[in-house]
Amino acid sequence: MLAPYPQLVVAGFRRYATYRQAALAGLSTNLVFGLLRAAVLVAVLAERPVVAGYDVAVAVTYVWLGQGLLTVVLLWGDSELSTRVRTGDVVVDLGRPWDLQAALLATDLGRAGFAVLSRLVPPMAFGALLFPVRWPERPATWALFAVAVVLAVVVSFGVRFLLNASAFWLLDARGVLAVWGVAGGVLSGLVIPLAWFPAAAQAALAWTPAPSLFQIPIDVFTERGDPFGALAAQAGWALLLLAVGRLVLRRGSARLVVQGG
Amino acid sequence: MADPAVPGTTGAVYRRIVGSRIRSQLSYRASFALDVVAQTIGQSIELVAVLVVFTQVEQLGGFARHEVLVMYGIAATAFGLADLAVGQVEELANHIRTGELDVLLLRPLGALAQIISADVALKRLGRVGAGLAVLAHALATAGIEWTPVRVLLAATAPLVGAVIFGAVWVAANTVSFWVVDGREFSNSVTYGSNFSTSYPATVYGPWVRRVLCFAVPSAFVAYFPALALLGRTDPLGLPAALPYCAPPVAALTVVAAALVWRAGVRRYQGTGS
């Protein structure tokens, strides 16, 4: 039974590797926004040399890592499941001899794997050429960062799966996905470091999976705070979201009405 | 780009197209409402980022919070209006890929006008609304000494800015005539110029600023009009007349966009699909 999933990881990787021009075009957007975002944070740090523990090196590392992780973690642009629910194709998926959630997760991990090569490494290299990037001081940080990125992808998948599954009830999940796409960016610490938010907002966000997506991997890389506690929080959210996703899928498919034609 | 045979009916045709698209959007009510909410949140979220920055510092690029909010308000409203009016031009890449553009070019109506009127996304009103709210608040609290010129400037700046954004959108998306799947390239210009206008131009390094002023004239959307409204001299020492130059710059941008569009259509050969 385990056999199809590693193949789906490879298939996910190869599917996205096919569209090289699209990857290149997306990369150009990442770089332009990286330059603009870095300029804003550097202008902030021109007023005060250190803001909430961020100096220029940490701030530009934060920006370029965030730009790189954007496509890996994938905040928006995944409406596959909800589209298949709307068109009815999901019936075919549910009938196949696999676990639908695990199959989608495997494909998503493959996609993320290609995104690491095509969308995470180039912006980091570009940023490192133009800005004083803060590299990890402890060798172990690289391994911890890799774990944090994988967990961030799983948490993001868990959230996207739930939002997409809302199509079982709403028929059209585009609005829900759009709200997440815009709100998720700020709440997950992609736009402005969460450490710059007022303490109350930070405390509230700590109770959500949002920081697991971008802020935690970036914190692990820049060696801010205890990495093991952060990874444990990510793992907890990953498991919880996957478990809730299973439940929702079961309830959703139970009320699925297959329309003929 | 043939002219219609009976000129008087063209307006009626577009009105019917737009009307039918608007009705179709209102049919999935829950999703439409959420889309409007998403657009409003989208605009407000960018505002949160600006406000969070000002919890950490007193000024940014030499401008205080209330001054940056004036720029942000003008930029957000202008972007929302432009998005509402011509945002559908983003679909050009899809029209080319699917061969739909051939159909549009054969009809006795302007191809660009057809693309733009094909799907007036009403959900973008959420963005305009959020922008207007911030702008009204910012103008009321920025301590502006109102003169007739400044009232005129405040009223026209979002519209002039929308014209600049709209022209930039059209020009940026024509890249699809030359590059397959050029949407992401144009996004870096369109959304990049939107992001950049929300902050003072002084935030950016010299060469980014040159691109912003001259290649993509987004500094004329909000930065220069805000200088004139706030009665501030340009910290960069640029000529004192520049803050009032947005309307002619907008006109030039439209001419440039029209030329780029015609060059693109002329070059178009179809994908064979």
Side-chain angles (χ1 to χ4, degrees):
Chain A
M1 266 313 278
L2 208 72
Y5 303 110
Q7 284 178 32
L8 282 168
V9 174
V10 176
F13 183 98
R14 290 177 57 176
R15 175 174 157 194
Y16 285 88
T18 315
Y19 301 104
R20 293 208 192 93
Q21 202 184 23
L24 200 67
L27 185 59
S28 75
T29 313
N30 288 161
L31 296 184
V32 169
F33 269 85
L35 286 171
L36 295 174
R37 293 183 50 214
V40 171
L41 291 201
V42 169
V44 171
L45 294 164
E47 305 289 330
R48 256 170 65 191
V50 177
V51 175
Y54 281 72
D55 58 14
V56 170
V58 176
V60 298
T61 310
Y62 159 84
V63 167
W64 289 108
L65 215 47
Q67 290 302 101
L69 287 173
L70 194 53
T71 319
V72 178
V73 172
L74 197 72
L75 212 49
W76 27 253
D78 170 26
S79 55
E80 208 168 320
L81 177 62
S82 61
T83 307
R84 292 181 75 80
V85 171
R86 198 172 71 234
T87 58
D89 290 345
V90 73
V91 176
V92 180
D93 303 331
L94 288 166
R96 286 191 173 133
W98 67 17
D99 181 288
L100 178 58
Q101 191 191 30
L104 287 173
L105 177 60
T107 315
D108 201 52
L109 287 172
R111 176 202 61 73
F114 176 68
V116 166
L117 297 182
S118 65
R119 303 292 285 276
L120 172 59
V121 174
M124 268 313 277
F126 183 82
L129 276 176
L130 293 182
F131 295 92
V133 165
R134 185 199 183 280
W135 298 105
E137 284 165 6
R138 301 187 290 267
T141 296
W142 289 98
L144 294 172
F145 175 66
V147 175
V149 171
V150 173
L151 286 172
V153 174
V154 178
V155 172
S156 167
F157 170 83
V159 174
R160 281 182 275 124
F161 185 85
L162 281 174
L163 296 176
N164 270 292
S166 73
F168 281 113
W169 289 267
L170 296 175
L171 273 184
D172 187 352
R174 276 177 292 191
V176 185
L177 287 165
V179 172
W180 169 244
V182 290
V186 167
L187 302 181
S188 62
L190 175 69
V191 178
I192 293 288
L194 292 184
W196 294 16
F197 280 60
Q202 288 185 53
L205 283 173
W207 289 95
T208 73
S212 298
L213 299 175
F214 293 100
Q215 192 64 58
I216 287 182
I218 295 173
D219 281 349
V220 168
F221 189 89
T222 52
E223 293 167 336
R224 287 170 59 91
D226 165 34
F228 296 103
L231 291 179
Q234 275 187 309
W237 279 113
L239 290 175
L240 182 66
L241 285 164
L242 290 179
V244 175
R246 295 198 80 78
L247 201 68
V248 168
L249 180 64
R250 196 173 305 151
R251 298 283 293 273
S253 45
R255 71 186 298 284
L256 194 69
V257 178
V258 183
Q259 298 174 350
Chain B
M1 303 270 283
D3 286 325
V6 190
T9 61
T10 318
V13 170
Y14 285 127
R15 269 199 298 281
R16 284 181 63 179
I17 295 175
V18 170
S20 77
R21 300 307 307 186
I22 288 175
R23 281 194 300 279
S24 79
Q25 287 169 48
L26 298 175
S27 51
Y28 283 93
R29 273 168 209 285
S31 192
F32 176 75
L34 271 170
D35 269 341
V36 174
V37 171
Q39 293 275 326
T40 313
I41 294 178
Q43 197 60 66
S44 316
I45 283 283
E46 287 167 29
L47 177 65
V48 168
V50 175
L51 294 178
V52 166
V53 162
F54 277 102
T55 62
Q56 299 295 333
V57 288
E58 293 293 312
Q59 54 170 357
L60 188 64
F63 290 87
R65 183 167 172 268
H66 66 274
E67 295 174 316
V68 174
L69 283 184
V70 171
M71 294 176 199
Y72 177 86
I74 297 174
T77 311
F79 183 80
L81 289 171
D83 197 14
L84 186 64
V86 304
Q88 303 71 250
V89 75
E90 279 197 343
E91 291 301 313
L92 176 65
N94 288 337
H95 289 309
I96 291 175
R97 194 168 42 78
T98 58
E100 174 78 7
L101 189 67
D102 295 347
V103 180
L104 299 184
L105 287 170
L106 280 171
R107 289 189 192 140
L109 296 166
L112 181 58
Q114 286 185 70
I115 294 173
I116 288 172
S117 61
D119 191 10
V120 177
L122 281 187
K123 62 182 182 183
R124 291 164 183 157
L125 282 173
R127 197 172 265 270
V128 178
L132 275 175
V134 177
L135 180 59
H137 172 79
L139 288 176
T141 55
I144 295 170
E145 291 172 33
W146 290 102
T147 62
V149 174
R150 282 188 183 146
V151 172
L152 185 68
L153 198 64
T156 55
L159 296 171
V160 173
V163 172
I164 295 178
F165 271 141
V168 167
W169 277 48
V170 170
N173 279 285
T174 48
V175 76
S176 299
F177 282 117
W178 287 273
V179 185
V180 183
D181 201 2
R183 189 165 167 166
E184 287 268 16
F185 284 116
S186 30
N187 279 0
S188 62
V189 177
T190 53
Y191 293 101
S193 60
N194 174 40
F195 179 92
S196 65
T197 45
S198 303
Y199 294 93
T202 46
V203 161
Y204 306 104
W207 65 268
V208 174
R209 222 157 46 214
R210 260 169 234 138
V211 172
L212 289 181
C213 274
F214 302 113
V216 183
S218 51
F220 288 92
V221 170
Y223 176 69
F224 284 127
L227 285 186
L229 281 172
L230 298 163
R232 288 197 47 157
T233 50
D234 187 2
L236 302 170
L238 290 165
L242 273 186
Y244 298 95
C245 283
V249 167
L252 279 177
T253 317
V254 169
V255 171
L259 290 175
V260 174
W261 175 263
R262 302 198 105 185
V265 171
R266 230 169 253 161
R267 191 207 171 264
Y268 175 71
Q269 291 179 331
T271 51
S273 49

